[in-house]
Amino acid sequence: MQRYFVEPGQMSSGTVTIVGDDVNHIVKVMRARAGDEIICCNGLGRDVKAVIESLGAEEVTARIVEENLPSREMPVYVTIAQGLPKSDKIEFVIQKGTELGAFSFLPFTSQRTVVKLDDKKEKKRRERWQKIAKEAAEQSHRSRVPVVQNVCSWRGLLALAPEFDYALFAYEKEEGALARSLQDIPPGSRVLLVVGPEGGFDESEVKEAEDAGMRIVSLGRRILRTETAALYGLSCISYQFER
Ligand code: SAM
């Protein structure tokens, strides 16, 4: 059954109103008819089953027939701060990270970032990244689409760290298992997981992360590629909180 993500205001007590690109998808791609069933999610944890009642050029309305569909969201809100990698690796991180339950993605630049994006290029890339997140959220039956945020600077990332309940900084020279670092994190926490680019972090950045209150964590004994690291982290977090 096709899944559509709507703004909270599009979902009333009894009906859902779909607008924008999804109207074209329902009418032209799915060739839906009145009476067909769809799933709608308002991004705030309200997932409903609805029956299409009217199909117009600008909007589709559907009557809600079932509430409280099971949520597949992780019980912690994990933002992946991904050091901007080369080529299209970040698209892989966003697609797989969405399937693995990431709440949001925060690309950042640091000392060893190789990629340079001007504003225009970044805007275009971010639109594509957000589309990848939406498609992956639909495919994995998520209740919400993770937001891909604007690329931020290293300073910007350090300034954001205190906004999280737990900020984890993945550093390959750290010993110990990630599971140990997760044990004291309660469900409902906002967690930041920071992963470096291909070249990793400079020692000075590790110190600055620590000074910003981040917890330095290991992602195991092996050195992971930048595009593997966040996925390993999300898998461990899922194992810890979704057993
Ligand atoms: N310094 C690494 C090397 O020697 O190849 C390069 C960095 S690694 C390819 C990219 C990022 O993945 C690192 O900055 C770190 O955030 C994360 N990472 C990879 N393996 C890790 C591990 N075993 N423990 C913690 N973080 C790891």
Side-chain angles (χ1 to χ4, degrees), residues 170-172 195-198 200-201 217-220 222-224 226 229:
Y171 187 46
E172 58 281 6
V195 168
E198 290 89 345
F201 289 109
V217 297
S218 164
L219 296 180
R222 290 165 294 284
I223 302 291
L224 307 176
T226 184

Side-chain angles (χ1 to χ4, degrees), residues 207-225:
K207 174 88 177 57
E208 286 172 330
E210 238 171 348
D211 293 348
M214 293 195 203
R215 189 182 284 187
I216 312 299
V217 297
S218 164
L219 296 180
R221 297 194 187 104
R222 290 165 294 284
I223 302 291
L224 307 176
R225 288 179 185 275

Side-chain angles (χ1 to χ4, degrees), residues 144-166:
R144 55 182 302 286
V145 180
V147 173
V148 181
Q149 301 176 53
N150 288 324
V151 178
C152 84
S153 66
W154 171 247
R155 294 268 150 247
L157 178 61
L158 292 176
L160 277 174
E163 290 180 20
F164 292 85
D165 300 313
Y166 297 86

Side-chain angles (χ1 to χ4, degrees), residues 43-205:
L44 301 178
R46 189 178 172 208
D47 298 3
V48 301
K49 188 186 289 183
V51 172
I52 292 175
E53 288 197 319
S54 70
L55 298 116
E58 301 299 316
E59 75 173 37
V60 169
T61 59
R63 178 171 45 83
I64 296 174
V65 294
E66 190 179 335
E67 290 270 4
N68 305 319
L69 298 185
S71 166
R72 293 181 171 83
E73 293 305 305
M74 271 237 263
V76 283
Y77 304 97
V78 183
T79 291
I80 297 294
Q82 174 65 51
L84 209 50
K86 289 180 267 189
S87 73
D88 58 0
K89 291 176 200 169
I90 195 165
E91 295 182 7
F92 178 80
V93 174
I94 290 168
Q95 186 188 61
K96 302 309 172 197
T98 297
E99 291 173 53
L100 288 167
F103 179 75
S104 178
F105 296 95
L106 176 59
F108 68 90
T109 56
S110 51
Q111 284 187 38
R112 297 181 187 173
T113 305
V114 174
V115 178
K116 296 277 174 269
L117 288 181
D118 60 34
D119 289 352
K120 195 159 159 268
K121 218 187 255 179
E122 187 202 321
K123 183 174 178 303
K124 214 159 164 308
R125 291 279 178 90
R126 210 165 67 77
E127 283 164 5
R128 174 170 166 70
W129 297 340
Q130 191 60 65
K131 190 165 173 287
I132 289 170
K134 180 170 184 278
E135 288 165 357
E138 284 163 356
Q139 175 274 322
S140 53
H141 289 190
R142 293 280 304 266
S143 298
R144 55 182 302 286
V145 180
V147 173
V148 181
Q149 301 176 53
N150 288 324
V151 178
C152 84
S153 66
W154 171 247
R155 294 268 150 247
L157 178 61
L158 292 176
L160 277 174
E163 290 180 20
F164 292 85
D165 300 313
Y166 297 86
L168 309 178
F169 181 89
Y171 187 46
E172 58 281 6
K173 291 185 182 157
E174 183 63 17
E175 298 286 314
L178 179 59
R180 217 179 37 233
S181 310
L182 299 175
Q183 273 163 353
D184 62 338
I185 298 179
S189 300
R190 289 159 307 163
V191 177
L192 177 70
L193 175 60
V194 180
V195 168
E198 290 89 345
F201 289 109
D202 188 85
E203 291 290 337
S204 62
E205 289 172 322

